[in-house]
């Protein structure tokens, strides 16, 4: 079994910072792209940032210059550092990863349980 477990998040004031962490565990052979999504109340889930195994990144325009995604391949973790937070960043943040399972070497899509980020004005 493979699972993604997020930590971090919480409450911050506008202009503040928060960090999110996501750790993958279980029967993992390799992890390809890792991503952070978010979903605000009444809105669709949207891609915030992504990072390939080699470290190439891309960001939604709304977070460019404020958020930084990084990963530690040895620890099967992905981080999201969020600076200069805005009230519109308030959402549940989800970790997502493309994982090749050790048990059968198939590529599967996995999601974390989500963590709340609330930014007050």
């Amino acid at each position: 079994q493979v699972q993604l477990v997020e930590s971090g998040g919480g409450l911050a004031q506008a202009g503040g910072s928060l960090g999110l962490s996501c750790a993958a565990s279980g029967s993992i052979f390799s992890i390809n792209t890792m991503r952070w999504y978010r979903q605000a109340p009444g809105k669709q889930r949207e891609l915030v940032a992504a990072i390939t195994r080699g470290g190439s990144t891309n960001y939604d325009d709304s977070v460019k210059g404020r958020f930084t995604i990084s990963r530690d391949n040895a620890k099967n973790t992905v981080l999201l550092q969020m600076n200069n937070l805005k009230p519109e960043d308030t959402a549940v943040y989800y970790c997502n990863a493309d994982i090749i399972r050790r048990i059968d070497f198939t590529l599967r899509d996995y999601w974390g349980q989500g963590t709340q980020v609330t930014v007050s004005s």
Side-chain angles (χ1 to χ4, degrees):
Q1 188 64 284
V2 174
Q3 61 177 349
L4 301 180
V5 178
E6 298 132 339
S7 60
L11 178 64
Q13 291 188 332
S17 298
L18 286 172
L20 303 180
S21 178
C22 173
S25 63
S27 180
I28 297 171
F29 176 75
S30 179
I31 303 177
N32 293 346
T33 301
M34 304 185 82
R35 307 172 187 86
W36 287 98
Y37 284 80
R38 67 185 179 188
Q39 187 167 19
K43 295 188 176 181
Q44 289 188 331
R45 191 172 298 189
E46 63 178 5
L47 178 63
V48 175
I51 184 167
T52 67
R53 183 170 182 79
S56 296
T57 60
N58 68 276
Y59 298 91
D60 183 81
D61 286 345
S62 65
V63 306
K64 281 182 181 176
R66 300 188 298 119
F67 289 13
T68 302
I69 189 171
S70 61
R71 64 187 287 172
D72 184 332
N73 290 332
K75 296 181 179 179
N76 290 336
T77 59
V78 61
L79 307 176
L80 186 68
Q81 178 62 39
M82 304 181 290
N83 298 328
N84 191 20
L85 284 162
K86 303 177 180 180
E88 51 263 43
D89 294 320
T90 295
V92 178
Y93 284 69
Y94 296 91
C95 174
N96 168 260
D98 300 333
I99 296 176
I100 299 174
R101 305 192 317 171
R102 184 176 297 276
I103 191 170
D104 56 11
F105 299 100
T106 58
L107 180 65
R108 302 287 181 95
D109 182 49
Y110 288 92
W111 290 85
Q113 78 284 359
T115 186
Q116 177 70 45
V117 170
T118 302
V119 183
S120 62
S121 57

